[in-house]
Structure formats: structure tokens, C-alpha cells
Amino acid sequence: MAFEFPEPQPSEITSESDFARRRSLIKGLAGAAVMAGYSPSLLASDTCPPGITIPDYSASLTPKKSATGYNNYYEFSTDKEAIRILAKSLTLSPWTLRISGEVENPITLDLDALKKLCTEERIYRFRCVEGWSMVVPWRGIMLADIIKLANPLSSARFVRMSSIVNPKEMIGQRRPVLDWPYQEALRLDEAMHPLTMIATGMYGGDLPPQNGAPLRLVVPWKYGFKSIKAVQHIELLSDQPVTTWQKAAAKEYGFYANVNPDVPHPRWSQRREVPLGESRKQPTLMFNGYAEQVAHLYRNLDMTKHF
Ligand SMILES: Nc1nc2c(c(=O)[nH]1)N[C@H]1C(S)=C(S)[C@@H](COP(=O)(O)O)O[C@H]1N2
Ligand SMILES: [Mo]
């Protein structure tokens, strides 16, 4: 089953029927959501422009406790269960997001400026390259809406994102575990895809520090390491950059990192995954269940070579 986000009416901001549709969507969610620790809210998203059809995975929502208690965030620690505590030390406000590079209008946005953009709640599957997965109700803004504010030049073909560097507050950054800042990148068409979001919240509330507050990328069809946390800088580039995980281990972590059960990690199979909070494995899906939305982006790419 798939649902469409409500379409705005040309003459009015929120029509009765849009409101009713959204409310019934949320009602349908209620049982599973409450179990998972998620209380959906009605947002300003009733005024968002029509989105794409998003596959509905709401029936298998991950318990909030699991999604916020088992994390990857190397700036703090490689101990997944310590991050929830350690990340409390990060100063989240004031925070700015700078957009620069191959753009007509370089711009620095604060969190209030971002709040003026259309914010939606969306439930996405999420698959870490290590073999665990979750289903999370995110709140966020389409990355496309943010990038458009800077007017990319025709020379822009890639988008690089960088996390904050703050070794005073991020104790993992005091050692060269990775090449700081943590950087990730997408092709411009991937960055502008309507599924690609900058999350500002999850489970109906603000984003917890351990999950990447105040701003983190969410690209649901790619392995989790692409979904960079604590983003401070977005650069539009003409050439493909080398990402943090490529620098760390190019043979294991490619630039594309599309979820693909047919391409094993050099050290393990990617055929199956363990949902957080469960013990039974389930099959991993091509493009993590978003093939219909994104497969066309890779028609001319050999996904076994460009993993
Ligand atoms: N800045 C930064 N972003 C990051 C990471 C990180 O170590 N640092 N880890 C990545 C990995 S490997 C995963 S699986 C996800 C985990 O997100 P979660 O903790 O919200 O589940 O964040 C990604 N984003
Ligand atoms: Mo990951």
C-alpha cells in the first residue's frame, strides 16, 4: 500500500479534504505508532507542494528506544550504546548551514530560516551497511528545497556535505579515527530527488543529539553511512569528491552505496538484515525498498562496479 501526500489547492492554503486525508492517514498509523513510541502530529506540511508517492512501511515502525539508543556517530565513539549519553555535550544552538561552491547565490541559513521551508513527517526504512535496519518516522525538509535557495550553476554536478568539527565537545574527534570533518556526497540528481531529506526531527519530536541534531541527511535507498549527521556545510561541486568512508576503506565503501542485496560487502553478505529491536533476520530489499522511486537514476551505471 502506498499513500500520496496531499496536494495543495491553488486558491487556498489548506482545504478541508486535505486536512481530512492527512488525519485519516495518521489515524491509520495510530496502533503501530503508539507501540513504537511515536505520536504523530499535524504539521505545516498540509501546505507542502505535492510530493511523490512514498511506499508505506509504517506497519513495521522501530521502537523509539532502539532507534535512539543504538547509534553510529564516530565523532563521539565507536561504542553504539555510549553515543546516546556522550552526544548530550554537543552545543546545538546557534547553528548555521552554509551553502557554497558552484552556486549563483552562496547563502548561510540559521535554523529559523530553515523552519520557514515546508516541513513534513515521513516514515522511511533505513539500512546500515553493517547489517541492521530500522523504520523511522522522520520530520524534515526536502534537500532540494534547501539547495534551490542557493541557485546552483549549470557547472554543479555533485553535492558534498560536511559535519561539524568540535573536538572539545565531540570526544571521538580527538583521535584520527576518521579524517575529520566527516564528509559525504551525492550526485546532484540524487541530492535533488524528492526522497532525499534533511531531517530536523524524529518520532514526532526534535532530533535527539545522538541521531544527528540539529540537521542530518536522510537518503533512504543508500546505506546509512551516507546519511551524514550534524551537517554544517553544503558545497556544490563540478567534480566527484572522495568521501570520508572512501578515504578510510575505498574497497569496502563506495561513493554510491546504494542498498543492494546482490553486491556483498567484501567481509559479509548483504542479503539479509536484522531490524533493531528484533532478533530475526529479514531479506534486504533492492534500493532498500525504494527501487520504484530511484532505479531510473542508475540506468547507465554498472552497480557492481560502482557500489
Ligand atoms: N557525522 C556522522 N554522520 C554519520 C555517522 C558518523 O559517524 N558521523 N555514521 C553514519 C552511519 S554508519 C549510520 S548507520 C548512521 C546511523 O544513524 P543513527 O544513529 O541515527 O541510526 O549515521 C551515519 N551518519
Ligand atoms: Mo552505518
Tab-separated table of all heavy atoms in Angstrom, residues 72 128-130 132 224-225, ligand 2:
chain	number	residue	atom	x	y	z
A	72	ASN	N	25.415	4.992	15.287
A	72	ASN	CA	26.761	5.169	14.755
A	72	ASN	C	27.036	6.661	14.675
A	72	ASN	O	26.258	7.412	14.061
A	72	ASN	CB	26.889	4.557	13.349
A	72	ASN	CG	27.276	3.093	13.403
A	72	ASN	OD1	27.966	2.659	14.329
A	72	ASN	ND2	26.853	2.330	12.410
A	128	CYS	N	21.719	0.098	7.622
A	128	CYS	CA	23.153	0.313	7.827
A	128	CYS	C	23.929	-0.768	7.075
A	128	CYS	O	23.505	-1.920	7.010
A	128	CYS	CB	23.515	0.267	9.310
A	128	CYS	SG	25.300	0.304	9.633
A	129	VAL	N	25.084	-0.392	6.556
A	129	VAL	CA	25.935	-1.313	5.794
A	129	VAL	C	26.378	-2.497	6.660
A	129	VAL	O	26.732	-3.559	6.152
A	129	VAL	CB	27.150	-0.533	5.200
A	129	VAL	CG1	28.164	-0.178	6.294
A	129	VAL	CG2	27.818	-1.274	4.058
A	130	GLU	N	26.321	-2.321	7.991
A	130	GLU	CA	26.735	-3.385	8.912
A	130	GLU	C	25.705	-4.514	9.025
A	130	GLU	O	26.001	-5.549	9.627
A	130	GLU	CB	26.948	-2.811	10.321
A	130	GLU	CG	28.061	-1.795	10.403
A	130	GLU	CD	28.010	-0.951	11.685
A	130	GLU	OE1	26.947	-0.858	12.329
A	130	GLU	OE2	29.052	-0.372	12.019
A	132	TRP	N	22.196	-4.042	10.075
A	132	TRP	CA	20.993	-3.789	10.873
A	132	TRP	C	20.134	-2.747	10.160
A	132	TRP	O	20.613	-2.012	9.290
A	132	TRP	CB	21.326	-3.364	12.309
A	132	TRP	CG	22.267	-2.200	12.461
A	132	TRP	CD1	23.629	-2.272	12.600
A	132	TRP	CD2	21.927	-0.805	12.487
A	132	TRP	NE1	24.152	-1.002	12.719
A	132	TRP	CE2	23.134	-0.088	12.648
A	132	TRP	CE3	20.733	-0.097	12.396
A	132	TRP	CZ2	23.177	1.308	12.709
A	132	TRP	CZ3	20.774	1.291	12.466
A	132	TRP	CH2	21.985	1.979	12.618
A	224	GLY	N	23.381	3.501	5.442
A	224	GLY	CA	23.259	4.543	6.458
A	224	GLY	C	24.421	5.514	6.545
A	224	GLY	O	24.229	6.668	6.928
A	225	PHE	N	25.636	5.082	6.170
A	225	PHE	CA	26.774	5.994	6.339
A	225	PHE	C	26.691	7.206	5.439
A	225	PHE	O	27.359	8.208	5.687
A	225	PHE	CB	28.114	5.255	6.189
A	225	PHE	CG	28.429	4.693	4.828
A	225	PHE	CD1	29.010	5.482	3.857
A	225	PHE	CD2	28.173	3.352	4.529
A	225	PHE	CE1	29.331	4.948	2.604
A	225	PHE	CE2	28.487	2.811	3.287
A	225	PHE	CZ	29.058	3.612	2.320
B	2	MO	MO	26.216	2.515	9.096
